[in-house]
Amino acid sequence: MAGKAQAWLVVAFTCLAALAQPCAAGSARVLAQTGGTCPGIIPACAATRCSIQEVDGKMQSVCERCSATYMPSTNSLNCVCPPGTYENDDKTSCIPCERGYYCAGGNQEMRNGVPTAEQMGWKRACRRGTVSNETATQAAIEAWGLTTKFSRARRHQDCVPIPGFSLALTSPATQSAALCPTSTYSPGFGRIRQCLRCQSGLEEDPADLFINATNPTLLPLVGNPKLRVDRTVVCKVPSGRYLVQNVVRDCKPGTFRNGFAYAGDPAARYCQGCPPGLTGNSSRPSSLDDCNIALPGVRYNGTAAPLLSQSGSDVSADLCPYGTYFEGGPINSTTNMTCKACPFGTQTQNMGAASMGDCMVPPGYYINLNTSAIAKCPNNVTYNGTQAGFYRETWTVWSDSSVQEAGDGSTACKPCGPGILSATTDIDERGAGNDTTQLVAASPFSCYIAAGWGVVPSGRIMSDQSMEFIGSPCPNNTYGVATTTNGLASSPCKPCARNTFSPPLSTNYSACVNPAGFGVGPDGASACPPGYYAAAGSLVPCLKCPPGRTTDFNSTRQTSINDCYVMPGMGVYDGNSTNPWNPSSVNATTTVLPCPVGYFSTGLSTTSVCTPCPTSGSTYSQGATSLAECTVCQPGYGYVSSLPCTACAAGTYQAGYAASGGNGDGFTCTACANTSYIFLSSRGAEPVLSTPGTTWRTTARGREECVPRFAQVGIDVGARLMNESFMTSAPSDAANATACINGCGAGTCCFVSFDYGYFNSNTTRCLRLELPPATSDTTFPLVYYKMLPSDVIAASSLRGEEAKAKSMSSGLYARCSATVAQIGAFTTLSGATGSTSLRQCRRSCDEMSTCWGFTVQSSGNACVLRGGTDALDLRTFFRLPTNTTGLNW
């Protein structure tokens, strides 16, 4: 009893230690009876992780944790391999199921006890589910055509065919694979029941020798290139077919394709043409042997044997040459392929003629039955009593009787027409017409007429319903074609225009010429009007004479420009000649102008000149036609009662006849106007002083040349012009201003100052500066005095208590010699700028009312503008020399 008690205590302690709960009464009893341990009942349970528990109403061993790689069965009553693994031979672990196998795992309902290999989990081969050991190689398993996509496969459905196989049977016990048959393929790794067929029209090339063995275990199938795996490798375009737009079609007759070709190969995309001149009628032609029919019009050099030898290099085919034909037919060793010659030497329009109907008479030819050969159409033979040429235009079949003739061709060829000849102008079209040296008459262009001839319709209709033409030479006063002219078109002789004439056989309208004195216009020639001319044969309109020239209305005196004479009142003129109105060189083109005033011309000659009126005479206007019109004088000249004209004296002028631009009668010399001066002194108006006018020269032409003999200085200038110490006092002439002025020397330039002296004890003074006149602008020093016009003097005006005269320039200056000291005594005009140009000095002084003149000290010096200052009751004058005509002013 003590021993049993001790055993119960041990069991109870073990149960409590393992399960932390009391053991069932039955458990202690079972263990005591069997005497087994938990690791022996559950071999794969982890050490110390097995316990006794009540399961399904009874005490059983329970594994709380299986060893690594194992998994517990239901209620943890045992440990088995999980799906996708199997137990190794050492029974120590579960290992992954390799590719080509599947492992369903251990029995999930396994209870206590040592499991069998099947209960622990078998490894089964994909083929037929046979149990295999772990030492079999994957290659050996896949040699049957089945494998898995990955390791740890769990089901037979995880088995798939390798590339080149399909599933034959699918149940676990019978599952197997089959090789893809001819013209199919399989990329593998899919549970397909049939291999994929090649695209319609694509086939397997028998020469590729894909595997067809019935026992694949004997073959190295894994990765074997002879398995039907890739459609691009297996499926090819067969001989006699080609691939277009992804559709396989048969090669057409006349083409062939030899051998299989990959679909991606460019050679699979087209069929090769038969050699030139060959075709065929085979279905799916696959070789040169299928090109066994010769085309019509083809000629071969060689025999039939090499032609059908599958080698295109020894086949030489070309077209039947011009002038031959061949009907064509099948090729065999006895076929006669020689092209046949056309009858009568006729020609074909192209090479490769296929029948005798292609034999034709070319343009420009006819069949001469006398010679049994074609001949050229004749150029010039007798036709309707005249010479004529012939031509023929079209290709005509040789059997047409209209092109056959036993003669010279005047019937078979078409006539150009009476008087119209022909020439060989068209290229001979035989043999492609490439030889431009061979010419025939093959068109209406071959027909021609010579220069000076014309062509018109004859009115006769030819047999081909065309109009007949007739040629003839052109008569007088007409003209024909300019050169030899080809073609059949109406080109009649054309009549010359009105009043023009031509000789026979003229070739151009330019042969129709105008007579002298007739100008050519749109409607012919017309007589030239007066003032125009035309040369014989000039073919131009009447030409107008140059300005100032004319002609008579007489065609015999209107033949050239030399008939254009100068009209009366006109004369030749050359501005480049020394004497423009009487030039040394004159012709019919020399300029002609109206004779100026003072000249006349009777004209009527090509060289008529304008002759000046004698003795300074003139005319009333330009364009005088005779000496009788010289009844007035030139400007600056005049007469009293009758001619001749003489020079107007100094102090007079004659401006010319009013109608000619002057302002007089053309012969009366008019005296210059008197000039009057007023002066206002501090006591009022002083006596008015008058002076006659004068001129610098005789033959004065206008009153603008008139200046007063003495001039009173204007009020704008001022009365005191110089330092009075340089002036000479003349007490004997101080009675009045007139006496003071008259005391000047006759031949001097005289500056006069008269002082009324109302603020100087009523004592008058007379002061004078007399200078000799100068005849040139180069005798320095010089004084220039601005002269006022004699008939245009401004009125006086009063400024406060001062009286000063105004003046405007006449543009004329008196020129006087002086000393350096004397010119230094003159008052300088304030603010004025001088110049070294006398013209500019004059212009500057003219534009200033305060300027009375200017001085020039020496050559190259600028002029000094001079003015004055105001002085009460001082009256200043400048008096000219008595005779001014010889001073060159």
Side-chain angles (χ1 to χ4, degrees), residues 514-520 526-538 540-545 549-565:
N514 57 300
F518 282 74
V520 175
S526 302
C528 294
Y532 289 79
Y533 66 94
S538 60
V540 296
C542 293
L543 301 177
K544 189 176 182 179
C545 289
R549 298 176 184 268
T550 189
T551 62
D552 295 329
F553 184 38
N554 186 329
S555 62
T556 62
R557 293 198 294 272
Q558 293 177 280
T559 63
S560 73
I561 193 173
N562 292 323
D563 290 329
C564 295
Y565 57 81

Side-chain angles (χ1 to χ4, degrees), residues 38-45 70-71 73 77-81 87 91 106-122:
C38 188
I41 297 173
I42 307 176
C45 186
Y70 290 88
M71 64 174 287
S73 63
L77 297 181
N78 214 320
C79 291
V80 297
C81 288
E87 191 173 42
K91 310 294 184 180
N107 186 354
Q108 298 296 311
E109 303 299 325
M110 183 66 190
R111 306 185 70 83
N112 288 161
V114 177
T116 66
E118 181 180 7
Q119 292 173 330
M120 183 58 71
W122 274 341

Side-chain angles (χ1 to χ4, degrees), residues 54 94 139 142 169 185 243 301 334 366 575 602 621 728 787 789:
E54 183 178 358
C94 295
E142 293 180 346
L169 299 173
Y185 64 94
L243 183 66
N301 297 325
T334 61
Y366 72 101
T602 58
S621 63
T728 302
M787 295 304 298

Side-chain angles (χ1 to χ4, degrees), residues 401-569:
S401 61
S402 67
V403 296
Q404 300 177 3
E405 177 187 342
D408 58 8
S410 58
T411 300
C413 296
K414 185 176 180 178
C416 292
I420 305 175
L421 306 181
S422 67
T424 53
T425 59
D426 302 294
I427 295 177
D428 191 338
E429 295 186 32
R430 295 183 305 164
N434 293 326
D435 189 353
T436 58
T437 63
Q438 298 296 320
L439 301 176
V440 294
S443 71
F445 187 78
S446 301
C447 302
Y448 72 91
I449 56 173
W453 282 55
V455 173
V456 294
S458 68
R460 176 173 171 264
I461 303 300
M462 307 282 284
S463 59
D464 61 355
Q465 301 304 307
S466 63
M467 178 65 72
E468 181 187 58
F469 288 89
I470 185 170
S472 59
C474 293
N476 287 338
N477 303 329
T478 64
Y479 61 92
V481 295
T483 60
T484 297
T485 301
N486 294 78
L488 290 178
S490 181
S491 181
C493 297
K494 299 175 179 61
C496 289
R498 180 174 56 87
N499 291 333
T500 59
F501 309 94
S502 70
L505 293 175
S506 294
T507 61
N508 192 278
Y509 71 90
S510 60
C512 300
V513 297
N514 57 300
F518 282 74
V520 175
D523 58 347
S526 302
C528 294
Y532 289 79
Y533 66 94
S538 60
L539 294 178
V540 296
C542 293
L543 301 177
K544 189 176 182 179
C545 289
R549 298 176 184 268
T550 189
T551 62
D552 295 329
F553 184 38
N554 186 329
S555 62
T556 62
R557 293 198 294 272
Q558 293 177 280
T559 63
S560 73
I561 193 173
N562 292 323
D563 290 329
C564 295
Y565 57 81
V566 178
M567 293 187 290

Side-chain angles (χ1 to χ4, degrees), residues 821-857:
Q822 287 173 331
I823 66 173
F826 290 108
T827 301
T828 301
L829 187 60
S830 177
T833 302
S835 171
T836 57
S837 167
L838 286 179
R839 177 177 296 180
Q840 185 59 43
C841 291
R842 294 171 186 266
R843 182 178 298 122
S844 297
C845 191
D846 286 343
E847 294 172 353
M848 301 174 67
S849 63
T850 56
C851 179
W852 60 260
F854 57 90
T855 60
V856 180
Q857 181 172 332

